[in-house]
Amino acid sequence: MHSESSSATPPGPPVWDPQQYLRHAGHRTRPFLDLLTRIPELPSTGGLSPRIADLGCGPGNVTVRLADRWPDARITGFDLSPHMLAQADKDHAGTTAGGGWLDFQVADAAHWTPGEPFDLIVSNAALQWVPNHPESFPAWIDGLAPGGTFAFQVPGNFTSPSHAILDELCASPRWRGRLGDHRRRYVHILDTADYLTRLADLGCETDAWETVYCQLLPGPDPVLDWVKGTALRPVLTALDGDHEAADALLAEYRDRLREAYPPGPHGTVFPFRRIFAVARKK
C-alpha cells in the first residue's frame, strides 16, 4: 500500500470503459432527451442538411438521437477517449436511416474550435471534464450559423455524498499522496444562473434550468457501479496496475456509499441534479 509520502502525479486524462459507462445508459440518456426537446428548429442554410457537432460524444449512444430528430443531418461526434471513439465508430458510424451521415473524430473540447459553421453544437455530460469551458463559449457561438443553437447539460451533483465522500477519501492521509490532485476537479462548474448570464451576454436567446432526477438504481452497491463509469475513472486511472490499492480504495468507498445511500424495498434512490442551457444565436 502506498503511504502519504508517495509523490502525487498530476492527473492525466481518465481511461474510459465504454461498457461500464453504458451499464446505466437509460438513466444517462434521459437528461439528453429532455435537453433535445428544448432545442429549437435549426436554421435552413440554403437547403443544405443541418450540420451538427456533438462535443464529448462518448460511445455515441446519444449522438444517434440527434439523427432521430434531424434525419438528414451531417453529424460529427468529437471525443478525446480512443476507447469511447472506437465503440462509437463500431456501433454508429455511417449513413443514417434518414439519409444523413454520422462520423466520429478525435478532439479535446478544451481546445476545440469550429472549423466550419454549425447549425447546432451540443454537449451531453462532458463539459464538467473541461476546466474553464465557459471561456470557450464565445468561440463556439461564433462558430454557429445565424440562428444556430448551442445546447448542453452537465451534472450538478458535486456536493452530493457520492462526490463529497470521494473527495474526502482522496484527501485522507491514506490516499492523498497518490490521489490528492484528483480532489475538487469540478469547481469550474457554474451555477445555472451564471450560465444563463454568460450566454445572454454573448447575445443569445437563452433558456437555462436545472432538474433533480431521483433515479432508482437496482442491484447491490448500485451507486458505486454508477460512479465506476464516471467520477471514479480518473482515480482508477491513477491506480491502474496497483490492484491492491484499487481494491482497498473501492472497499472503503463502497462501505461509505452504503451508509449514504441505503437500499430500499424497490432499489436504491440516487438523486442526481443536472444543469441545462440552450442558447440560440440571433
Side-chain angles (χ1 to χ4, degrees):
M1 178 62 59
H2 289 259
S3 67
E4 178 185 351
S5 61
S6 299
S7 58
T9 57
V15 175
W16 291 92
D17 181 342
Q19 297 308 316
Q20 180 67 41
Y21 182 84
L22 290 169
R23 280 172 60 83
H24 299 278
H27 286 304
R28 297 194 194 282
T29 302
R30 183 181 174 190
F32 181 75
L33 298 179
D34 289 346
L35 178 69
L36 197 58
T37 64
R38 304 289 283 272
I39 297 175
E41 288 304 313
L42 303 184
S44 176
T45 312
L48 298 177
S49 300
R51 188 70 176 100
I52 300 175
D54 181 7
L55 290 182
C57 62
N61 60 304
V62 300
T63 314
V64 295
R65 301 302 183 100
L66 296 166
D68 295 337
R69 172 81 184 270
W70 295 281
D72 63 336
R74 295 175 297 128
I75 306 167
T76 299
F78 297 94
D79 206 281
L80 188 59
S81 167
H83 300 87
M84 290 293 203
L85 287 172
Q87 189 73 42
D89 198 64
K90 171 179 173 290
D91 292 344
H92 304 297
T95 304
T96 63
W101 181 258
L102 180 57
D103 65 351
F104 299 91
Q105 298 181 19
V106 177
D108 185 349
H111 308 290
W112 181 82
T113 54
E116 60 182 292
F118 284 90
D119 301 294
L120 172 64
I121 298 173
V122 66
S123 183
N124 177 64
L127 296 183
Q128 71 273 18
W129 299 102
V130 184
N132 302 317
H133 60 269
E135 303 304 319
S136 296
F137 288 177
W140 296 347
I141 298 299
D142 284 345
L144 290 172
T149 296
F150 168 49
F152 67 92
Q153 70 93 3
V154 291
N157 66 327
F158 304 114
T159 59
S160 66
S162 58
H163 289 67
I165 292 170
L166 185 58
D167 275 356
E168 291 171 7
L169 286 176
C170 290
S172 67
R174 186 180 188 185
W175 297 107
R176 64 179 171 230
R178 295 190 70 180
L179 303 174
D181 288 335
H182 292 278
R183 295 184 64 241
R184 309 301 299 159
R185 293 174 65 96
Y186 311 106
V187 293
H188 55 275
I189 298 293
L190 304 183
D191 287 335
T192 309
D194 293 330
Y195 282 123
L196 173 66
T197 299
R198 289 217 180 201
L199 292 165
D201 285 346
L202 294 172
C204 294
E205 299 172 353
T206 305
D207 183 16
W209 71 98
E210 57 187 71
T211 300
V212 176
Y213 296 89
C214 285
Q215 301 169 146
L216 195 62
L217 304 182
D221 299 310
V223 177
L224 178 64
D225 193 66
W226 175 280
V227 296
K228 278 183 178 179
T230 51
L232 261 177
R233 297 315 307 174
V235 172
L236 294 177
T237 300
L239 297 176
D240 185 40
D242 191 340
H243 301 295
E244 180 183 357
D247 289 346
L249 179 114
L250 287 174
E252 191 173 354
Y253 188 32
R254 177 203 64 206
D255 291 346
R256 294 190 60 181
L257 286 176
R258 286 176 177 175
E259 295 179 8
Y261 299 97
H266 308 291
T268 300
V269 177
F270 182 47
F272 204 96
R273 175 175 172 254
R274 302 274 185 150
I275 298 170
F276 301 79
V278 175
R280 185 175 183 271
K281 184 176 181 178
K282 294 181 181 178

PDB file of all heavy atoms in Angstrom, residues 44-76:
ATOM      1  N   SER A  44     -32.361  27.035 -41.736  1.00  0.00           N
ATOM      2  CA  SER A  44     -32.255  26.471 -43.080  1.00  0.00           C
ATOM      3  C   SER A  44     -31.139  27.182 -43.812  1.00  0.00           C
ATOM      4  O   SER A  44     -31.193  28.396 -44.029  1.00  0.00           O
ATOM      5  CB  SER A  44     -33.577  26.642 -43.835  1.00  0.00           C
ATOM      6  OG  SER A  44     -33.464  26.188 -45.156  1.00  0.00           O
ATOM      7  N   THR A  45     -30.086  26.444 -44.153  1.00  0.00           N
ATOM      8  CA  THR A  45     -28.913  27.052 -44.781  1.00  0.00           C
ATOM      9  C   THR A  45     -28.878  26.675 -46.254  1.00  0.00           C
ATOM     10  O   THR A  45     -28.224  25.695 -46.648  1.00  0.00           O
ATOM     11  CB  THR A  45     -27.617  26.584 -44.073  1.00  0.00           C
ATOM     12  OG1 THR A  45     -27.789  26.733 -42.658  1.00  0.00           O
ATOM     13  CG2 THR A  45     -26.415  27.392 -44.526  1.00  0.00           C
ATOM     14  N   GLY A  46     -29.610  27.431 -47.050  1.00  0.00           N
ATOM     15  CA  GLY A  46     -29.600  27.202 -48.490  1.00  0.00           C
ATOM     16  C   GLY A  46     -30.043  25.809 -48.887  1.00  0.00           C
ATOM     17  O   GLY A  46     -29.575  25.271 -49.897  1.00  0.00           O
ATOM     18  N   GLY A  47     -30.924  25.215 -48.097  1.00  0.00           N
ATOM     19  CA  GLY A  47     -31.400  23.881 -48.436  1.00  0.00           C
ATOM     20  C   GLY A  47     -30.452  22.765 -48.083  1.00  0.00           C
ATOM     21  O   GLY A  47     -30.719  21.599 -48.394  1.00  0.00           O
ATOM     22  N   LEU A  48     -29.339  23.075 -47.461  1.00  0.00           N
ATOM     23  CA  LEU A  48     -28.363  22.054 -47.084  1.00  0.00           C
ATOM     24  C   LEU A  48     -28.830  21.299 -45.845  1.00  0.00           C
ATOM     25  O   LEU A  48     -29.627  21.808 -45.048  1.00  0.00           O
ATOM     26  CB  LEU A  48     -27.004  22.693 -46.816  1.00  0.00           C
ATOM     27  CG  LEU A  48     -26.329  23.408 -47.989  1.00  0.00           C
ATOM     28  CD1 LEU A  48     -25.022  24.057 -47.536  1.00  0.00           C
ATOM     29  CD2 LEU A  48     -26.066  22.437 -49.143  1.00  0.00           C
ATOM     30  N   SER A  49     -28.338  20.112 -45.682  1.00  0.00           N
ATOM     31  CA  SER A  49     -28.641  19.339 -44.483  1.00  0.00           C
ATOM     32  C   SER A  49     -28.032  20.024 -43.272  1.00  0.00           C
ATOM     33  O   SER A  49     -26.963  20.646 -43.362  1.00  0.00           O
ATOM     34  CB  SER A  49     -28.069  17.927 -44.615  1.00  0.00           C
ATOM     35  OG  SER A  49     -28.614  17.255 -45.718  1.00  0.00           O
ATOM     36  N   PRO A  50     -28.686  19.934 -42.116  1.00  0.00           N
ATOM     37  CA  PRO A  50     -28.125  20.547 -40.908  1.00  0.00           C
ATOM     38  C   PRO A  50     -26.748  19.976 -40.588  1.00  0.00           C
ATOM     39  O   PRO A  50     -26.487  18.783 -40.782  1.00  0.00           O
ATOM     40  CB  PRO A  50     -29.143  20.184 -39.825  1.00  0.00           C
ATOM     41  CG  PRO A  50     -30.403  19.859 -40.550  1.00  0.00           C
ATOM     42  CD  PRO A  50     -29.993  19.289 -41.857  1.00  0.00           C
ATOM     43  N   ARG A  51     -25.886  20.847 -40.088  1.00  0.00           N
ATOM     44  CA  ARG A  51     -24.528  20.439 -39.683  1.00  0.00           C
ATOM     45  C   ARG A  51     -24.477  20.495 -38.159  1.00  0.00           C
ATOM     46  O   ARG A  51     -24.738  21.545 -37.557  1.00  0.00           O
ATOM     47  CB  ARG A  51     -23.483  21.382 -40.286  1.00  0.00           C
ATOM     48  CG  ARG A  51     -22.050  20.921 -40.066  1.00  0.00           C
ATOM     49  CD  ARG A  51     -21.731  19.689 -40.888  1.00  0.00           C
ATOM     50  NE  ARG A  51     -20.328  19.304 -40.742  1.00  0.00           N
ATOM     51  CZ  ARG A  51     -19.900  18.312 -39.940  1.00  0.00           C
ATOM     52  NH1 ARG A  51     -20.781  17.631 -39.225  1.00  0.00           N
ATOM     53  NH2 ARG A  51     -18.618  18.026 -39.877  1.00  0.00           N
ATOM     54  N   ILE A  52     -24.138  19.380 -37.518  1.00  0.00           N
ATOM     55  CA  ILE A  52     -24.220  19.254 -36.066  1.00  0.00           C
ATOM     56  C   ILE A  52     -22.909  18.712 -35.513  1.00  0.00           C
ATOM     57  O   ILE A  52     -22.320  17.786 -36.078  1.00  0.00           O
ATOM     58  CB  ILE A  52     -25.382  18.315 -35.666  1.00  0.00           C
ATOM     59  CG1 ILE A  52     -26.716  18.879 -36.173  1.00  0.00           C
ATOM     60  CG2 ILE A  52     -25.433  18.113 -34.164  1.00  0.00           C
ATOM     61  CD1 ILE A  52     -27.902  17.953 -35.925  1.00  0.00           C
ATOM     62  N   ALA A  53     -22.479  19.271 -34.394  1.00  0.00           N
ATOM     63  CA  ALA A  53     -21.310  18.790 -33.654  1.00  0.00           C
ATOM     64  C   ALA A  53     -21.753  18.342 -32.273  1.00  0.00           C
ATOM     65  O   ALA A  53     -22.516  19.033 -31.597  1.00  0.00           O
ATOM     66  CB  ALA A  53     -20.252  19.883 -33.534  1.00  0.00           C
ATOM     67  N   ASP A  54     -21.271  17.180 -31.848  1.00  0.00           N
ATOM     68  CA  ASP A  54     -21.532  16.658 -30.503  1.00  0.00           C
ATOM     69  C   ASP A  54     -20.188  16.601 -29.770  1.00  0.00           C
ATOM     70  O   ASP A  54     -19.350  15.744 -30.071  1.00  0.00           O
ATOM     71  CB  ASP A  54     -22.165  15.270 -30.594  1.00  0.00           C
ATOM     72  CG  ASP A  54     -22.481  14.669 -29.216  1.00  0.00           C
ATOM     73  OD1 ASP A  54     -22.326  15.389 -28.207  1.00  0.00           O
ATOM     74  OD2 ASP A  54     -22.870  13.493 -29.164  1.00  0.00           O
ATOM     75  N   LEU A  55     -19.996  17.515 -28.818  1.00  0.00           N
ATOM     76  CA  LEU A  55     -18.737  17.603 -28.075  1.00  0.00           C
ATOM     77  C   LEU A  55     -18.756  16.649 -26.891  1.00  0.00           C
ATOM     78  O   LEU A  55     -19.634  16.734 -26.028  1.00  0.00           O
ATOM     79  CB  LEU A  55     -18.518  19.033 -27.563  1.00  0.00           C
ATOM     80  CG  LEU A  55     -18.198  20.110 -28.594  1.00  0.00           C
ATOM     81  CD1 LEU A  55     -17.960  21.439 -27.896  1.00  0.00           C
ATOM     82  CD2 LEU A  55     -16.990  19.725 -29.422  1.00  0.00           C
ATOM     83  N   GLY A  56     -17.771  15.762 -26.837  1.00  0.00           N
ATOM     84  CA  GLY A  56     -17.738  14.772 -25.770  1.00  0.00           C
ATOM     85  C   GLY A  56     -18.771  13.692 -26.021  1.00  0.00           C
ATOM     86  O   GLY A  56     -19.562  13.355 -25.148  1.00  0.00           O
ATOM     87  N   CYS A  57     -18.726  13.108 -27.212  1.00  0.00           N
ATOM     88  CA  CYS A  57     -19.794  12.200 -27.650  1.00  0.00           C
ATOM     89  C   CYS A  57     -19.757  10.856 -26.945  1.00  0.00           C
ATOM     90  O   CYS A  57     -20.736  10.106 -26.997  1.00  0.00           O
ATOM     91  CB  CYS A  57     -19.699  11.991 -29.155  1.00  0.00           C
ATOM     92  SG  CYS A  57     -18.156  11.208 -29.702  1.00  0.00           S
ATOM     93  N   GLY A  58     -18.638  10.511 -26.290  1.00  0.00           N
ATOM     94  CA  GLY A  58     -18.545   9.224 -25.626  1.00  0.00           C
ATOM     95  C   GLY A  58     -18.748   8.075 -26.600  1.00  0.00           C
ATOM     96  O   GLY A  58     -18.264   8.115 -27.743  1.00  0.00           O
ATOM     97  N   PRO A  59     -19.500   7.037 -26.202  1.00  0.00           N
ATOM     98  CA  PRO A  59     -19.684   5.890 -27.095  1.00  0.00           C
ATOM     99  C   PRO A  59     -20.734   6.101 -28.176  1.00  0.00           C
ATOM    100  O   PRO A  59     -21.083   5.156 -28.878  1.00  0.00           O
ATOM    101  CB  PRO A  59     -20.107   4.777 -26.135  1.00  0.00           C
ATOM    102  CG  PRO A  59     -20.796   5.492 -25.019  1.00  0.00           C
ATOM    103  CD  PRO A  59     -20.073   6.798 -24.860  1.00  0.00           C
ATOM    104  N   GLY A  60     -21.233   7.329 -28.321  1.00  0.00           N
ATOM    105  CA  GLY A  60     -22.141   7.650 -29.418  1.00  0.00           C
ATOM    106  C   GLY A  60     -23.587   7.264 -29.200  1.00  0.00           C
ATOM    107  O   GLY A  60     -24.421   7.453 -30.090  1.00  0.00           O
ATOM    108  N   ASN A  61     -23.913   6.770 -27.992  1.00  0.00           N
ATOM    109  CA  ASN A  61     -25.280   6.293 -27.763  1.00  0.00           C
ATOM    110  C   ASN A  61     -26.309   7.416 -27.721  1.00  0.00           C
ATOM    111  O   ASN A  61     -27.497   7.163 -27.970  1.00  0.00           O
ATOM    112  CB  ASN A  61     -25.348   5.478 -26.469  1.00  0.00           C
ATOM    113  CG  ASN A  61     -24.930   6.275 -25.251  1.00  0.00           C
ATOM    114  OD1 ASN A  61     -23.827   6.819 -25.206  1.00  0.00           O
ATOM    115  ND2 ASN A  61     -25.780   6.336 -24.245  1.00  0.00           N
ATOM    116  N   VAL A  62     -25.890   8.657 -27.410  1.00  0.00           N
ATOM    117  CA  VAL A  62     -26.843   9.762 -27.512  1.00  0.00           C
ATOM    118  C   VAL A  62     -26.660  10.536 -28.819  1.00  0.00           C
ATOM    119  O   VAL A  62     -27.594  11.200 -29.271  1.00  0.00           O
ATOM    120  CB  VAL A  62     -26.745  10.720 -26.301  1.00  0.00           C
ATOM    121  CG1 VAL A  62     -27.038   9.993 -25.013  1.00  0.00           C
ATOM    122  CG2 VAL A  62     -25.427  11.440 -26.241  1.00  0.00           C
ATOM    123  N   THR A  63     -25.484  10.455 -29.422  1.00  0.00           N
ATOM    124  CA  THR A  63     -25.268  11.133 -30.700  1.00  0.00           C
ATOM    125  C   THR A  63     -26.273  10.654 -31.739  1.00  0.00           C
ATOM    126  O   THR A  63     -26.776  11.443 -32.553  1.00  0.00           O
ATOM    127  CB  THR A  63     -23.835  10.879 -31.200  1.00  0.00           C
ATOM    128  OG1 THR A  63     -22.906  11.068 -30.125  1.00  0.00           O
ATOM    129  CG2 THR A  63     -23.478  11.833 -32.325  1.00  0.00           C
ATOM    130  N   VAL A  64     -26.581   9.369 -31.706  1.00  0.00           N
ATOM    131  CA  VAL A  64     -27.540   8.840 -32.686  1.00  0.00           C
ATOM    132  C   VAL A  64     -28.930   9.420 -32.483  1.00  0.00           C
ATOM    133  O   VAL A  64     -29.736   9.441 -33.431  1.00  0.00           O
ATOM    134  CB  VAL A  64     -27.594   7.299 -32.631  1.00  0.00           C
ATOM    135  CG1 VAL A  64     -26.277   6.695 -33.061  1.00  0.00           C
ATOM    136  CG2 VAL A  64     -27.977   6.798 -31.242  1.00  0.00           C
ATOM    137  N   ARG A  65     -29.234   9.901 -31.270  1.00  0.00           N
ATOM    138  CA  ARG A  65     -30.549  10.515 -31.045  1.00  0.00           C
ATOM    139  C   ARG A  65     -30.691  11.820 -31.823  1.00  0.00           C
ATOM    140  O   ARG A  65     -31.810  12.256 -32.115  1.00  0.00           O
ATOM    141  CB  ARG A  65     -30.763  10.765 -29.555  1.00  0.00           C
ATOM    142  CG  ARG A  65     -30.693   9.507 -28.678  1.00  0.00           C
ATOM    143  CD  ARG A  65     -31.704   8.453 -29.102  1.00  0.00           C
ATOM    144  NE  ARG A  65     -31.695   7.283 -28.249  1.00  0.00           N
ATOM    145  CZ  ARG A  65     -32.577   7.052 -27.283  1.00  0.00           C
ATOM    146  NH1 ARG A  65     -33.558   7.911 -27.064  1.00  0.00           N
ATOM    147  NH2 ARG A  65     -32.491   5.965 -26.552  1.00  0.00           N
ATOM    148  N   LEU A  66     -29.575  12.461 -32.140  1.00  0.00           N
ATOM    149  CA  LEU A  66     -29.623  13.665 -32.966  1.00  0.00           C
ATOM    150  C   LEU A  66     -30.118  13.325 -34.368  1.00  0.00           C
ATOM    151  O   LEU A  66     -30.844  14.104 -34.992  1.00  0.00           O
ATOM    152  CB  LEU A  66     -28.243  14.312 -33.033  1.00  0.00           C
ATOM    153  CG  LEU A  66     -27.691  14.842 -31.709  1.00  0.00           C
ATOM    154  CD1 LEU A  66     -26.192  15.134 -31.826  1.00  0.00           C
ATOM    155  CD2 LEU A  66     -28.439  16.096 -31.272  1.00  0.00           C
ATOM    156  N   ALA A  67     -29.725  12.147 -34.857  1.00  0.00           N
ATOM    157  CA  ALA A  67     -30.188  11.719 -36.183  1.00  0.00           C
ATOM    158  C   ALA A  67     -31.677  11.381 -36.169  1.00  0.00           C
ATOM    159  O   ALA A  67     -32.345  11.466 -37.209  1.00  0.00           O
ATOM    160  CB  ALA A  67     -29.366  10.520 -36.653  1.00  0.00           C
ATOM    161  N   ASP A  68     -32.201  11.006 -35.013  1.00  0.00           N
ATOM    162  CA  ASP A  68     -33.644  10.778 -34.917  1.00  0.00           C
ATOM    163  C   ASP A  68     -34.405  12.099 -35.080  1.00  0.00           C
ATOM    164  O   ASP A  68     -35.467  12.133 -35.713  1.00  0.00           O
ATOM    165  CB  ASP A  68     -33.997  10.145 -33.571  1.00  0.00           C
ATOM    166  CG  ASP A  68     -33.421   8.755 -33.396  1.00  0.00           C
ATOM    167  OD1 ASP A  68     -33.132   8.108 -34.420  1.00  0.00           O
ATOM    168  OD2 ASP A  68     -33.257   8.326 -32.244  1.00  0.00           O
ATOM    169  N   ARG A  69     -33.857  13.163 -34.516  1.00  0.00           N
ATOM    170  CA  ARG A  69     -34.514  14.480 -34.572  1.00  0.00           C
ATOM    171  C   ARG A  69     -34.294  15.147 -35.932  1.00  0.00           C
ATOM    172  O   ARG A  69     -35.204  15.775 -36.476  1.00  0.00           O
ATOM    173  CB  ARG A  69     -33.970  15.353 -33.436  1.00  0.00           C
ATOM    174  CG  ARG A  69     -34.418  16.820 -33.466  1.00  0.00           C
ATOM    175  CD  ARG A  69     -35.793  17.036 -32.905  1.00  0.00           C
ATOM    176  NE  ARG A  69     -36.197  18.424 -33.045  1.00  0.00           N
ATOM    177  CZ  ARG A  69     -35.960  19.386 -32.133  1.00  0.00           C
ATOM    178  NH1 ARG A  69     -35.343  19.093 -31.008  1.00  0.00           N
ATOM    179  NH2 ARG A  69     -36.364  20.620 -32.340  1.00  0.00           N
ATOM    180  N   TRP A  70     -33.074  15.026 -36.469  1.00  0.00           N
ATOM    181  CA  TRP A  70     -32.742  15.630 -37.759  1.00  0.00           C
ATOM    182  C   TRP A  70     -32.207  14.526 -38.665  1.00  0.00           C
ATOM    183  O   TRP A  70     -30.985  14.317 -38.773  1.00  0.00           O
ATOM    184  CB  TRP A  70     -31.717  16.747 -37.577  1.00  0.00           C
ATOM    185  CG  TRP A  70     -32.268  17.899 -36.786  1.00  0.00           C
ATOM    186  CD1 TRP A  70     -33.090  18.890 -37.243  1.00  0.00           C
ATOM    187  CD2 TRP A  70     -32.055  18.174 -35.386  1.00  0.00           C
ATOM    188  NE1 TRP A  70     -33.409  19.762 -36.226  1.00  0.00           N
ATOM    189  CE2 TRP A  70     -32.785  19.358 -35.070  1.00  0.00           C
ATOM    190  CE3 TRP A  70     -31.324  17.564 -34.379  1.00  0.00           C
ATOM    191  CZ2 TRP A  70     -32.794  19.912 -33.800  1.00  0.00           C
ATOM    192  CZ3 TRP A  70     -31.334  18.110 -33.104  1.00  0.00           C
ATOM    193  CH2 TRP A  70     -32.061  19.270 -32.820  1.00  0.00           C
ATOM    194  N   PRO A  71     -33.109  13.792 -39.339  1.00  0.00           N
ATOM    195  CA  PRO A  71     -32.717  12.562 -40.038  1.00  0.00           C
ATOM    196  C   PRO A  71     -31.683  12.753 -41.139  1.00  0.00           C
ATOM    197  O   PRO A  71     -30.900  11.838 -41.412  1.00  0.00           O
ATOM    198  CB  PRO A  71     -34.044  12.051 -40.613  1.00  0.00           C
ATOM    199  CG  PRO A  71     -35.103  12.664 -39.756  1.00  0.00           C
ATOM    200  CD  PRO A  71     -34.562  14.005 -39.363  1.00  0.00           C
ATOM    201  N   ASP A  72     -31.673  13.927 -41.803  1.00  0.00           N
ATOM    202  CA  ASP A  72     -30.738  14.118 -42.906  1.00  0.00           C
ATOM    203  C   ASP A  72     -29.488  14.888 -42.494  1.00  0.00           C
ATOM    204  O   ASP A  72     -28.694  15.286 -43.349  1.00  0.00           O
ATOM    205  CB  ASP A  72     -31.432  14.850 -44.064  1.00  0.00           C
ATOM    206  CG  ASP A  72     -31.885  16.260 -43.678  1.00  0.00           C
ATOM    207  OD1 ASP A  72     -32.086  16.509 -42.462  1.00  0.00           O
ATOM    208  OD2 ASP A  72     -32.040  17.110 -44.576  1.00  0.00           O
ATOM    209  N   ALA A  73     -29.288  15.084 -41.192  1.00  0.00           N
ATOM    210  CA  ALA A  73     -28.173  15.912 -40.711  1.00  0.00           C
ATOM    211  C   ALA A  73     -26.829  15.224 -40.940  1.00  0.00           C
ATOM    212  O   ALA A  73     -26.711  13.995 -40.943  1.00  0.00           O
ATOM    213  CB  ALA A  73     -28.351  16.221 -39.235  1.00  0.00           C
ATOM    214  N   ARG A  74     -25.819  16.065 -41.103  1.00  0.00           N
ATOM    215  CA  ARG A  74     -24.423  15.599 -41.110  1.00  0.00           C
ATOM    216  C   ARG A  74     -23.870  15.856 -39.700  1.00  0.00           C
ATOM    217  O   ARG A  74     -23.693  16.998 -39.298  1.00  0.00           O
ATOM    218  CB  ARG A  74     -23.616  16.351 -42.158  1.00  0.00           C
ATOM    219  CG  ARG A  74     -24.073  16.069 -43.598  1.00  0.00           C
ATOM    220  CD  ARG A  74     -23.338  16.931 -44.602  1.00  0.00           C
ATOM    221  NE  ARG A  74     -23.616  18.355 -44.380  1.00  0.00           N
ATOM    222  CZ  ARG A  74     -22.681  19.285 -44.248  1.00  0.00           C
ATOM    223  NH1 ARG A  74     -21.398  18.961 -44.275  1.00  0.00           N
ATOM    224  NH2 ARG A  74     -23.023  20.551 -44.078  1.00  0.00           N
ATOM    225  N   ILE A  75     -23.633  14.788 -38.985  1.00  0.00           N
ATOM    226  CA  ILE A  75     -23.321  14.860 -37.560  1.00  0.00           C
ATOM    227  C   ILE A  75     -21.920  14.315 -37.315  1.00  0.00           C
ATOM    228  O   ILE A  75     -21.581  13.224 -37.783  1.00  0.00           O
ATOM    229  CB  ILE A  75     -24.332  14.044 -36.731  1.00  0.00           C
ATOM    230  CG1 ILE A  75     -25.769  14.491 -37.047  1.00  0.00           C
ATOM    231  CG2 ILE A  75     -24.042  14.163 -35.244  1.00  0.00           C
ATOM    232  CD1 ILE A  75     -26.831  13.541 -36.524  1.00  0.00           C
ATOM    233  N   THR A  76     -21.132  15.082 -36.553  1.00  0.00           N
ATOM    234  CA  THR A  76     -19.811  14.620 -36.151  1.00  0.00           C
ATOM    235  C   THR A  76     -19.730  14.616 -34.633  1.00  0.00           C
ATOM    236  O   THR A  76     -20.009  15.629 -33.989  1.00  0.00           O
ATOM    237  CB  THR A  76     -18.694  15.514 -36.718  1.00  0.00           C
ATOM    238  OG1 THR A  76     -18.751  15.481 -38.150  1.00  0.00           O
ATOM    239  CG2 THR A  76     -17.320  15.022 -36.257  1.00  0.00           C
TER     240      THR A  76
END
